[in-house]
Amino acid sequence: MKKYIKEKLSYWRIPKGLLRIESVKDLETKTDDQPMGTNVGEALHYVLDLSDEAGLITKNLDGYAGHGQLGDVDADTIGILCHVDVVPATGDWTSPPFEPEIRDGRLYARGAIDDKGPTMAAFYGLKIVKELGLPLRKNVRIIFGTDEESGMSCMKYYKEHEDMPKIGFAPDADFPIIHAEKGQMNVRVSVADNRDSGSDQSDIQLVSFKAGDRANMVPGKATAVLKGSYGQIKKDFFTFSRKQGLAYEYSEEGDQLKLILYGISAHGMAPQTGVNAGTTLAAFLTSMNMQADARTFLNFVADLHKDFEGEGLRIAFKDKITGPLTVNPGLISFDSNQNFVHLNIRCPVTAEYESIQQDLNMALYQKGMVMQDYRESSPHHVPEDNPMIKALQKAYQEETGGNPVLLTTGGGTYARFMEEGVAYGASFPGKEMTAHQTDEYIEIEDLLKATAIYARAIYELAK
């Protein structure tokens, strides 16, 4: 089996075509058949065309998602759930993020590891199984979603309009196997009383503050516009930024001063791996005499700085399965019309959501903030003795020789849409995970290795 898979890998094409598509959700360009925007729609068409060319049975579900299926027998179907959308490519990239480039054995591009590279690895793994003509008792369906990075509405739509496989994997995380995923709370909060917006005798007025592009990303850039007596602020900002080791800019226009601070973007599931430009800039601004609502807003944001586990919000919690609760202030915005902070909270599998929400509301009240909007998603957990997990462990071990230990994650993947779904690769143990980061990449050797693992796993699950 291993020899035949290796022979088939010789025609593996590096997925530059898919990586060249800037498939960031853009509702301004949406159409009836491209609900996530034209670029995401193009990416979905790309993978469905590949599936059709490979002889799979394809279906497009109104542009929300699509699939390619091997087999049409009256039996269970194995699911492989992937996504073709990506987060915005913020930061200073060495090479353009949508012009994929190979350097030193690495493929650099937005989506290289999350999730276009692994999607193509799974696709070619399925194609290998098909071309080997291996006897399968079950159907295998690779499903392509379009909204994984901002709500997963695509898989919700798919599940409403199509039978979702009960068993399978999502190639959108780490090897060996992630069998438990934290749940999420997405909470939007604002200053409790916004009527007092600047009539007091403040030296400085905060005109606007903005940080972040997506709730599930650590903001890599923050901008504040100030008005008033800001002469000393420029020097203090220079000193502060140098001390933090962060890049910065400032500019003046009339009686206004614009401050820009650059942090380090990272995935919102692990906020401690980045540097939140928004909370850092807020920490600098809190010493200034500003209008009342701005002071409340900035003090709240500054209190979140490096408080990755929600201690200051009184919601800290951890369990033995998935570890600690984490908090990422992913979107931060203030101006004369509105103010809000979007908290992306990742909750351990045994967390009691109602209790956490009550504690959070009390902490917000004491900080002069109020909850505007609240959404939650449940955690997902597949027991370690599940037969599917045993099959995936076998495939990983036989292809790599490594120990197929079970892992957990703070991230949320499509695996939760299947009753017995797990996340399965494509980042290998000990390797840097660059999802949502500047200069995202995957090693070519790992891409090929993942393809071999997926081919064997598909066979183990479907035979």
Side-chain angles (χ1 to χ4, degrees), residues 31-332:
T31 63
D32 289 343
D33 60 349
Q34 295 177 322
M36 306 304 160
T38 55
N39 285 352
V40 177
E42 181 184 352
L44 179 61
H45 281 293
Y46 182 93
V47 291
L48 289 178
D49 285 345
L50 283 182
S51 300
D52 188 59
E53 292 172 6
L56 303 180
I57 303 168
T58 60
K59 185 173 184 178
N60 186 335
L61 277 80
D62 303 320
Y64 282 90
H67 69 239
Q69 180 169 307
L70 174 61
D72 191 21
V73 297
D74 185 16
D76 291 338
T77 299
I78 303 301
I80 307 169
L81 274 58
C82 314
H83 69 91
V84 298
D85 62 309
V86 296
V87 296
T90 58
D92 186 17
W93 288 63
T94 303
S95 55
F98 295 101
E99 295 179 17
E101 183 173 297
I102 296 175
R103 302 192 302 271
D104 301 321
R106 296 173 173 177
L107 175 61
Y108 288 87
R110 174 58 88 220
I113 189 66
D114 182 23
D115 182 41
K116 293 179 177 180
T119 292
M120 294 305 296
F123 170 79
Y124 275 101
L126 178 56
K127 187 175 180 181
I128 286 171
V129 171
K130 180 180 184 299
E131 294 188 0
L132 287 175
L134 299 172
L136 305 179
R137 295 176 57 197
K138 301 176 182 179
N139 304 308
V140 184
R141 182 184 300 173
I142 184 167
I143 304 174
F144 307 104
T146 62
D147 189 34
E148 195 273 347
E149 299 291 1
S150 53
M152 301 192 183
S153 63
C154 51
M155 281 301 133
K156 296 170 186 175
Y157 188 91
Y158 188 94
K159 199 167 185 178
E160 289 173 358
H161 295 80
E162 187 78 13
D163 289 335
M164 177 67 74
K166 296 180 179 180
I167 298 173
F169 62 87
D172 190 20
D174 299 316
F175 280 124
I177 300 171
I178 292 177
H179 75 120
E181 299 180 2
K182 290 179 180 178
Q184 292 190 39
M185 292 180 173
N186 281 282
V187 185
R188 182 168 287 209
V189 305
S190 65
V191 177
D193 187 347
N194 196 33
R195 289 173 295 178
D196 186 2
S197 60
S199 59
D200 56 356
Q201 299 300 311
S202 56
D203 298 324
I204 298 292
Q205 181 183 355
L206 180 64
V207 178
S208 65
F209 188 106
K210 187 180 187 308
D213 295 293
R214 291 287 175 88
N216 63 350
M217 295 176 66
V218 175
K221 178 183 177 181
T223 303
V225 177
L226 310 177
K227 183 177 181 180
S229 305
Y230 56 76
Q232 180 65 26
I233 295 177
K234 293 182 290 185
K235 181 178 179 180
D236 292 344
F237 184 55
F238 167 81
T239 303
F240 175 84
S241 302
R242 293 291 296 270
K243 186 176 180 179
Q244 298 293 321
L246 300 176
Y248 69 95
E249 298 177 31
Y250 71 82
S251 61
E252 300 176 70
E253 185 174 340
D255 61 349
Q256 294 189 354
L257 172 68
K258 178 187 287 188
L259 305 178
I260 301 176
L261 186 68
Y262 295 93
I264 300 175
S265 184
H267 200 297
M269 71 176 179
Q272 71 279 4
T273 63
V275 177
N276 192 312
T279 61
T280 309
L281 182 56
F284 167 72
L285 295 173
T286 51
S287 62
M288 301 175 194
N289 181 22
M290 293 188 181
Q291 71 267 36
D293 59 340
R295 287 198 304 271
T296 300
F297 180 85
L298 291 172
N299 284 335
F300 175 74
V301 176
D303 286 346
L304 298 171
H305 187 53
K306 295 186 177 180
D307 184 12
F308 306 119
E309 297 183 10
E311 295 283 353
L313 296 173
R314 300 182 182 178
I315 58 173
F317 176 80
K318 64 177 64 177
D319 65 21
K320 292 182 179 180
I321 301 174
T322 44
L325 174 150
T326 62
V327 179
N328 177 52
L331 294 170
I332 307 169

Side-chain angles (χ1 to χ4, degrees), residues 380-409:
H380 179 69
H381 180 210
V382 179
E384 61 184 35
D385 59 353
N386 186 285
M388 176 202 59
I389 286 182
K390 299 300 181 183
L392 295 180
Q393 286 179 314
K394 178 182 178 182
Y396 178 83
Q397 188 171 40
E398 291 188 353
E399 285 296 330
T400 68
N403 182 18
V405 297
L406 298 184
L407 309 172
T408 66
T409 182

Side-chain angles (χ1 to χ4, degrees), residues 319-459:
D319 65 21
K320 292 182 179 180
I321 301 174
T322 44
L325 174 150
T326 62
V327 179
N328 177 52
L331 294 170
I332 307 169
S333 181
F334 179 99
D335 59 34
S336 60
N337 296 317
Q338 65 171 351
N339 65 80
F340 67 86
V341 181
H342 189 132
L343 304 176
N344 180 231
I345 303 171
R346 312 277 172 138
C347 302
V349 296
T350 61
E352 296 183 2
Y353 281 42
E354 184 176 352
S355 175
I356 292 174
Q357 188 178 2
Q358 291 175 353
D359 292 341
L360 178 58
N361 268 318
M362 180 60 69
L364 292 174
Y365 174 78
Q366 294 176 348
K367 293 174 181 289
M369 306 293 287
V370 65
M371 189 180 296
Q372 282 185 330
D373 186 44
Y374 174 87
R375 292 179 291 112
E376 67 178 49
S377 60
S378 301
H380 179 69
H381 180 210
V382 179
E384 61 184 35
D385 59 353
N386 186 285
M388 176 202 59
I389 286 182
K390 299 300 181 183
L392 295 180
Q393 286 179 314
K394 178 182 178 182
Y396 178 83
Q397 188 171 40
E398 291 188 353
E399 285 296 330
T400 68
N403 182 18
V405 297
L406 298 184
L407 309 172
T408 66
T409 182
T413 74
Y414 284 158
R416 62 181 57 229
F417 286 89
M418 295 179 285
E419 292 181 16
E420 300 174 27
V422 299
Y424 194 48
S427 180
F428 284 89
K431 297 297 181 71
E432 181 184 24
M433 179 47 136
T434 57
H436 294 203
Q437 297 182 23
T438 301
D439 284 345
E440 177 183 348
Y441 72 85
I442 187 170
E443 296 182 15
I444 300 298
E445 182 179 344
D446 287 351
L447 200 55
L448 296 174
K449 192 188 304 182
T451 304
I453 293 171
Y454 292 144
R456 181 178 287 274
I458 290 167
Y459 175 64

